[in-house]
Amino acid sequence: MNKILQYLIALVLIMTTSGCYEDFLEIVPQDNLVTDSFFRTDAEIRAGTAALYGMPWFDYNDKFSWVAGDAMPGNLYHTWDQEGQFFFFSFNEGNAHLTRGWQSLFRVVSYSNSIINDLPRIAGGYGVPQEYIDRGVGEARFIRAFAYFILAEYWGEVPIVENSTTLVSNNTLILPKNTKSSVYEFIRRDLEFAEQHLLNSDAPGRVTKWSAKALMAKLYLTMGQASGSADHYNKAKQYSEDLIENSGLTLMPDYSNLFKIENNNNPESLFALQWVEGAYGSGNSVQANMARSSMITGNSESWGGFKSLTYDFTKNVEDGDLRQPAIYMTLGNHYPEIRRSAGGYSYLIVNRDAQNNILENAAPVLNNVKKYVVGSSADTGGKVTTNQATAMNTYMLRLADAYLTYAEAALGTAASTNDGKALGYFNAIRSRAGLDPLNSLTFMDILKERRIEFGMEGQYWMDIKRYFYRNPSEAVSYLNSQQRAHFYERVQGTNPPDENSLEGYVLMPPTSPVTVFESNMILPIPAAEVSYNPLLAPGQPAVEYEFN
Amino acid sequence: MKKLLPLLLFFISGIVYAQSNITGQVTAAKDGLGIPGVTIQVQGTTVGTVSDINGSYTIMASPDDILVFSFIGFQTSEIRVGNQTRLNVSMEEDIKTLEEVVIVGYGEMKKSDITGAVASVSEEQLRGSVFANVDQALQGRVAGVQVTQNSGQPGGGVSVRIRGANSITGSSEPLYVIDGIPFQGDAVGTSGFSWAGGANGQGQVNPLSTINPNDIVSIEVLKDASATAIFGSRAANGVMLITTRRGKAGEAKISYNNFFASQTAPRRLQMMKLPDYAEYQINTANSVDGINVNERYLDPSILGDGTDWQSEIFQTAPMSSHQLAVTGGTEKSTYAISTGYFSQDGTVIGSNFDRITTRINLDTKVKDWITFGANLTYANTNERITLNDGGDGVIMQALVMPPDVPVRDIRGNFAGPENNTADISFNPVASALMRNNTLKRQRTMGNVYLNLTPVNKLSIRSDIGFDDNRALGNAFHPTYDWGVLINNENKLRQRNEQSLFWIWNTYATYTTDFGNGHNIVAMAGTEAQRSDWEGSEITKINFATNDIPVLSQGQQEGQVSNGWKGASSLASYYGRLNYGYKDKYLLTVTMRADGSSKFGSENKWGFFPSMAAAWRVTNEDFMPTSDVLSDLKLRFGYGEVGNQAIGDYLFGSSLQTLNTGFGTAYRNARISNPFLRWETTAQYNAGMDLSLFQGKINVTLDVYKKFTRDMLLQLSVPSYLGGSSWWDINAPFANVGSLENKGIDLAINSVNIHSRNFKWTTDFNFTLNRNMVTELDSETSFFDRNLYWYSEFQSATRTKVGSPLGTFYGYIADGIFQDTEEILNHAVQVSDPSAGDTPRNLVDKRDGVWIGDIKYRDVNGDGVIDSNDQVIIGDPNPKFTFGFNNNFTYKGFDLAVFFYGSVGGDILNYAKVITEGQTSVFNNQSITVANNAKLGLIDPDGSDLDPSNVFLANPDATIPRFSTNDVNRNNRMSSRFLEDATFVRIQNVSLGYTFPAALTSKAKVEMLKIYVNIQNLHTFTNYSGYDPEIGAFGQDALMQNVDMGRYPMPRTFTVGANITF
């Protein structure tokens, strides 16, 4: 019996080791920092805000920016599948690109919010000086404002989310739409904070107080086109003039140099997405979507063979416009920076090899997209990789925008203007493009100039929206009068003219034109969101946001 | 000389021991028939033999020796030799024929004492067929266990469900315990291909493929909570206890088993041949703007068949296995040592798998009261995985690659398509052979135990085990020039992972009999376990040549690397009390407490009790002895088990690193939830074990109901509040919702005929499970799974309250529009913006709904087809599955025919979206597309754009018209792509012959068997894809039966031989 006792005692000993188990069961992450142990220094704050300039925007930049920003308003001819539905205005709330655009912009909001909400508390606790904290929050508030500005122009009334952590923790998942005026006010407050706390100049690529002023000018201009209020126009003028005159920033002398990787974060750039080659999601994927062929990218990611600038766009490009080769490639263009090792790339409508096999085929409007197409890894010193990643930054806002914003604000509600300052700024843009100056400006002059200047930069829909606020019926009939769906067909017959000449093709009107209605001017909220939250359904009222 | 040697030995031994040859026959007392396989041993020695097919035996023994005759199911008899030379023995059947011993958690029990739902797979069943992996041995063999192969890839993934899936987003794979050491059945990741562009396919392989099935002698499946609760935390999905072969005292035995097999892909899909494809292109070009006719196609009749891509990628592939085992030992020490080699090529070119294993099991009695033992096993697997089971996979690409593209061009290089479109296809042969994805794994598992029996009734056992895993994955993306597809940048991703798991458990078992029929077995113990893992991943580009994909050859610039490291731990206390009274009443009570590192300090511990009782009715005095009813046991049990199978530190938030233009950036990984705690599954089980006609018919029937509550789920939130993708600041994990599984397991075994030379037995099992989500965080919550973000399959499956897991969710397709009037009278699919207040369809060839488009049902009757018309349109879960096996033995021959069936359930045939989706004229299509909707003109000179001039020329068409941008969304997720998953398969047919012992013993061969086997002989199904057994994509319970070009299971012809000396 003694023996049993011994063993039972041993057993009891083993079983009373629970004290040790408490430590045994405490395991903290071994390969990542924990949230509350970060933001201890200015450098860590910088590493936190660095996350706002790339990846969360990826899905927006990847497709939405050009299907909605350029194909929808008639700049980009692209008819394929769900992407093409934007060109035809035939998408609905289930469209994958619509959903991804929405998700991406709200992802930007959630990244920003986590900094705006966590940074002051945590960094404050570590005793980081207030100016660094405010600057970090300022970056985040600028970027949140930018995302909301895009959301407002595409979707109109959207829910304002300031702190997803508390909303989710309190199980407050169902939010109403907020009125557009609330959203604009929300953006204005963010920009006001950013303007106060961001620096005059900062490390290359970081937003500054001038970035905030530039967006503020656009915000007021947008509000002005809707309200017709002189106060709004004046604010837009003040902000853009201040920026142009006092920021020390300058236009790049050569437009085409804007779109070269080596000129990332040049003095014209006010806010650009900061891409880096390598992994999927951290680089700019637009080249993969737009490049015509593997000959240009040096890899298989080149899906732009059937994408062109529309006939309507090209006929608005004046002869001798120096911007054309930087926006799209067409017959006669030569690019020494692409296929450097082969002596550059010359555009041919149909490109064949020695055996007469087709390497590159005719695009629908006999041109292909150039903007954000930068060439292969070898052409760029390794700044292009597969995984759809180039290191070419995406312009979200550049100084040229402020020049044209001033002109548009100076025009105000008038039919035309010959305001000297407005003409000066406006003609600065034209002169860089090698075009003759104008002596007076109408809204259509400015709209057309913006269309070309920012062609394929995902901007035109927002310009059309301001046109629409200013004059809804004119804007809709403008879209309906576009020759966006015209395409070229090869001349048939026994002896057709050279396939590499314009004579070899005939311009064909579409079998039916693209028709646009006023109801098309606001995008539907994605179906998945509405199934979660019925308050986002069409027809549900928007409420005023309660600012605290 | 060789012939003389045994003779010589015979004389020598005869002289030394004065032994003589004893012969005789062993018969059953009951029917006087000979019993084959009886072990006859000279007591106290290692000398022994086995009776042959007629029960006859021959053994050397001296007059003082005692011969021990033993055989399962019979009472052991001991007979002194004396001066007889012929000893005929009649063996009495052991009345406790059910006295099999069953391994349970932390111990073993007599089968008759079991109170829970436990099923066993015996060695006999395991040896009855040819398996590459253990999981295949289980398919259709055990009631309540559903095994589906997720891929036919050699070494490909598998999903095993014991009584349904218990978790929505977590793992539902059971816990495997091999000789006492737990082993997780979750899939193992590979380098995959998504990083190199395109989709990934199934980037997971089978964890069970590191186990050599030849080493296994039995598998016990613990199904209900009263059986599994002793495993507490990790047992929510059921437990499989795997026992490997151990040595037996006696003369050493050497056995060698091998087989050689040939595998073929079972069927081909009917795709367009070149003339069909040319006609399809011409028809399409004539009806759609901007598509140019290929001049060569103008007369399809002169074209050949073109390339048959399926024939190019499928092959007849060999498989072989060799296994050498030695077992033996003395009364005090026994050993079993084995080594095996298995090699399998895939039926898709470029895929293969091989495995080398070694196992050593030792047991030794150090003292009377101390037993010491050790197991050590090493496995080395090596597999080459093609990109499969996905839209970009080799199989899918072989289907859509146009027949006008040759495999190789005239210079002998791989060819490719001539048109560059967004959904362009790769040359699948080139892709299979040149895109390399390999995985090498090494696994060393072992344990050492010490068993003390200080006094008769008490035993204490302490076990220390470990499981060391190393994996090296390599994926290489070459440079190529395949038609218009050119890649100048090759790249390699190398992934290195290692992990170490250790476990230490100690438990004491006290067995006592109080007399008066009361007896008790009490067990209590404690256990600690910990896993540590780390890994790294390096990607390099621009290798000098495709031939040497080794990291040193890549360039330094553009190198991307990543690393990870983590750990988790569990600590537990457990106890079990078995009480029995006169073999009539049995009671089992268990309790387990588990602490997990995966929860915050307030919520680490979970408590999991269980109770089960059984009543052996036939042992009651009032039950008359009956020839009909031999045994009847009723069982009832209830228990709770836990689940903590989630990632680490999900209760808190760590920072995710991002690669940015500003250098490394950080962001919050998720919203934290410090209140996260254990998920619990409670289960009721009622069962009956019935034995009729002296055990000729055995029936086991169980009914059960399981409730999983406090499910560990990531909250699903609208995307304006976050999300669940890697890109998002993730929604928190929380304990929300509950899930229910209920069902019936039935197993019937019968001995139909048992005569002198002929025996026929039948095993039948039936599995029925219904699962349903009963609660989520809110009534409107749901979990969606999508297939490719850019497709119309954003909610391919939806899981919500009141529905089973992973139901298919979409629109109901109601045929094809025949004419304009029908479109105008139908609910609005594409709104005509000029219609004003009375919405109607826009009838337009390019921008609207057109004749030949799919008509969708207006489910809610509001006159508009929109997301509110999406409903549950199918359920991947089968109504029931069954296995039906018949064994026939005649003299030395044995024949087994095994059917496996799965009835009910639906398949989402996503492959059809691609092969019948007509998204581009540059992709090949199914031959069925030749009969797509064709339009006729009422006035042949009129416009084909005029709605009133167009009608459907082939009114019976089931496939819509060609449309470049599919405004009507004919390819949206709808009932159009659902098919019935029912199938019955002749899973296995095997025919073997065992040579008579009389013959083989002359060559000192104890047993020699040869056999032929056909696996997956034929599948009876209406499914139009390759194989109706799809499984779960990436083991995800919400992605079951989604066919994205799944690698089909091969049909396998095998010949093999087993020999034992």
Side-chain angles (χ1 to χ4, degrees), chain A residues 352-368:
Chain A
R352 293 177 188 265
D353 67 8
Q355 285 81 33
N356 215 31
N357 292 318
I358 293 177
L359 298 174
E360 296 179 310
N361 217 332
V365 195
L366 308 185
N367 73 67
N368 289 87

Side-chain angles (χ1 to χ4, degrees), chain A residues 3-4 7 11 14-15 17-18 21-22 24-27 29-35 38 47-48 50-51 53 55 58 62-63 79-82 84-85 88 90 92-94 96-97 100 102-103 106-107 110-111 114 118 159 161 164-165 167-169 171-175 204-206 274-278 280-282 292-294 298-303 305-306 357-359 361 377 384-387 485 487 489 510-514 517 527-529 531-533 536, chain B residues 195-197 289-290 369 411 418-423 426 452 454-455 458 460 480 484-489 491 502 506 508 524-530 532 541-542 560 563-573 595-597 601 604-605 649 653-662 664-668 671 715-721 725-729 732 777 780 782 789-792 794 798 833-834 844 846-847 866-867 919 922 945 964-967 969:
Chain A
K3 224 172 185 181
I4 295 179
Y7 284 109
L11 195 68
I14 292 165
M15 297 190 66
T17 48
S18 64
Y21 280 162
E22 290 311 312
F24 180 72
L25 295 175
E26 208 60 59
I27 296 179
Q30 301 181 356
D31 54 0
N32 269 319
L33 289 162
V34 177
T35 303
F38 199 59
Y53 290 81
M55 186 168 281
F58 180 84
D62 180 46
K63 302 271 192 299
T79 60
W80 183 73
D81 205 46
Q82 296 192 75
Q85 292 172 358
F88 293 120
S90 59
N92 64 24
E93 69 280 1
H97 308 292
R100 285 226 309 172
W102 169 278
Q103 286 173 346
F106 273 106
R107 187 174 295 140
S110 79
Y111 278 43
S114 92
D118 290 349
V161 181
S164 12
T165 307
L167 289 171
V168 172
S169 303
N171 205 21
T172 314
L173 306 181
I174 306 300
L175 302 178
R206 294 277 179 177
Q274 304 288 314
W275 301 118
V276 61
E277 72 281 5
Y280 179 78
S282 49
R292 184 185 188 191
S293 72
S294 294
N299 61 46
S300 60
E301 297 168 353
S302 54
W303 308 306
F306 290 99
N357 292 318
I358 293 177
L359 298 174
N361 217 332
S377 175
V384 169
T385 61
T386 44
N387 298 331
F487 60 98
E489 229 173 55
T511 47
S512 62
V514 174
F517 296 87
E529 295 293 90
S531 12
Y532 275 112
N533 178 359
L536 300 184
Chain B
W195 63 276
D289 280 349
W369 56 287
R411 284 160 301 180
E418 283 187 8
N419 286 288
N420 199 354
T421 58
D423 53 351
F426 290 97
L452 312 176
V455 291
L458 178 69
I460 297 170
Y480 52 78
V484 296
L485 285 174
I486 297 167
N487 181 38
N488 292 332
E489 181 188 291
K491 47 187 173 176
W502 61 257
T506 303
T526 177
E527 182 173 282
Q529 44 191 311
R530 182 178 164 112
D532 279 274
I541 56 173
N542 289 335
V560 180
W564 57 92
K565 185 174 196 262
S568 69
S569 59
L570 262 180
S572 323
Y573 304 104
S596 167
S597 65
S601 52
K604 286 202 185 301
W605 289 87
Y649 200 65
S653 178
S654 57
L655 292 171
Q656 195 81 58
T657 54
L658 300 176
N659 192 21
T660 77
F662 295 136
T664 303
Y666 298 86
R667 67 162 171 89
N668 267 351
I671 297 173
L715 289 179
S716 76
V717 299
S719 55
Y720 53 77
L721 292 177
S725 78
W726 189 87
W727 307 69
D728 294 311
I729 293 183
D777 52 327
T780 53
F782 53 81
W789 64 265
Y790 50 83
S791 78
E792 286 272 14
Q794 296 309 302
R798 174 163 292 190
S834 65
D844 188 276
R846 189 192 65 203
D847 298 338
D866 60 15
S867 52
T919 50
F922 305 114
L945 299 174
T964 41
N965 63 324
D966 195 13
V967 170
R969 298 164 65 206

Side-chain angles (χ1 to χ4, degrees), chain A residues 468-487:
Chain A
F468 178 74
Y469 298 143
R470 185 183 176 92
N471 192 330
S473 59
E474 255 186 40
V476 170
S477 62
Y478 164 80
L479 287 173
N480 278 314
S481 67
Q482 284 182 339
Q483 292 172 304
R484 66 159 73 185
H486 282 51
F487 60 98

Side-chain angles (χ1 to χ4, degrees), chain B residues 899-950:
Chain B
F899 290 85
Y900 170 63
S902 174
V903 175
D906 299 297
I907 293 173
L908 170 57
N909 189 350
Y910 184 75
K912 244 180 165 176
V913 179
I914 299 170
T915 61
E916 292 184 356
Q918 309 171 69
T919 50
S920 155
V921 288
F922 305 114
N923 282 343
N924 198 15
Q925 295 286 290
S926 167
I927 190 71
T928 53
V929 171
N931 192 31
N932 66 352
K934 304 252 177 356
L935 307 184
L937 299 182
I938 295 166
D939 168 10
D941 300 325
S943 165
D944 65 350
L945 299 174
D946 173 6
S948 60
N949 192 38
V950 177

